[in-house]
Amino acid sequence: MNQIYNAIYDIVRLIPYGRVTSYGAIAKSLGVGGGARFVGWAMNAAHGVHPAVPAHRVVNRNGMLTGKHHFPAVAPMQKLLEEEGIVVIDDKIVDFEHLFWNPLTELEL
DNA sequence: TACCTGACGGGCC
DNA sequence: GGGCCCGCCAGGT
């Protein structure tokens, strides 16, 4: 596992309860602005990672749960978000911009 | 070994 | 304002 992957997982784990972020925001915080897909791919490998990565808090820039299909059937992405008080309608996070957690701002990088 | 796809994003037409 | 194309890295076929 590369440091980049570890860095991505670390940031995702830093996302506060009830907050969400986007792939692009994470990528940008890592300095790989154009590598948003790379972040998504890292999530793909985040299934069996040690401290468990709350990938359900990571969505695309539109706030849509594009990756919910990749979650285990036992823990639907939408259900996990709703458990945190996040309202999800039509695979889209309501008030996404309000719930958005910007790593660049919060971490003051 | 080489090409294509994949949980995205931003820029250009 | 909306749609299309290109760029990012890595893994799978």
Side-chain angles (χ1 to χ4, degrees):
Chain A
M1 198 64 70
N2 293 331
Q3 288 297 94
I4 301 299
Y5 278 69
N6 190 21
I8 293 171
Y9 299 149
D10 185 62
I11 291 175
V12 175
R13 283 178 297 203
L14 288 175
I15 301 174
Y17 181 91
R19 288 279 193 270
V20 293
T21 191
S22 64
Y23 300 96
I26 296 172
K28 188 179 293 183
S29 67
L30 293 174
V32 288
R37 300 178 92 187
F38 174 63
V39 176
W41 197 251
M43 293 296 99
N44 183 25
H47 279 278
V49 182
H50 0 131
V53 180
H56 61 279
R57 294 178 184 159
V58 183
V59 295
N60 66 359
R61 106 161 196 78
N62 293 318
M64 297 179 75
L65 310 185
T66 54
K68 71 166 191 174
H69 193 68
H70 285 265
F71 272 75
V74 296
M77 189 174 185
Q78 183 174 331
K79 182 179 177 67
L80 291 173
L81 290 172
E82 291 180 338
E83 288 292 312
E84 299 188 2
I86 298 174
V87 181
V88 179
I89 298 177
D90 191 54
D91 297 338
K92 184 173 87 264
I93 295 175
V94 179
D95 294 332
F96 171 67
E97 57 183 274
H98 182 69
L99 296 173
F100 182 75
W101 182 79
N102 191 337
L104 290 172
T105 302
E106 301 299 326
L107 298 177
E108 299 184 48
L109 294 176

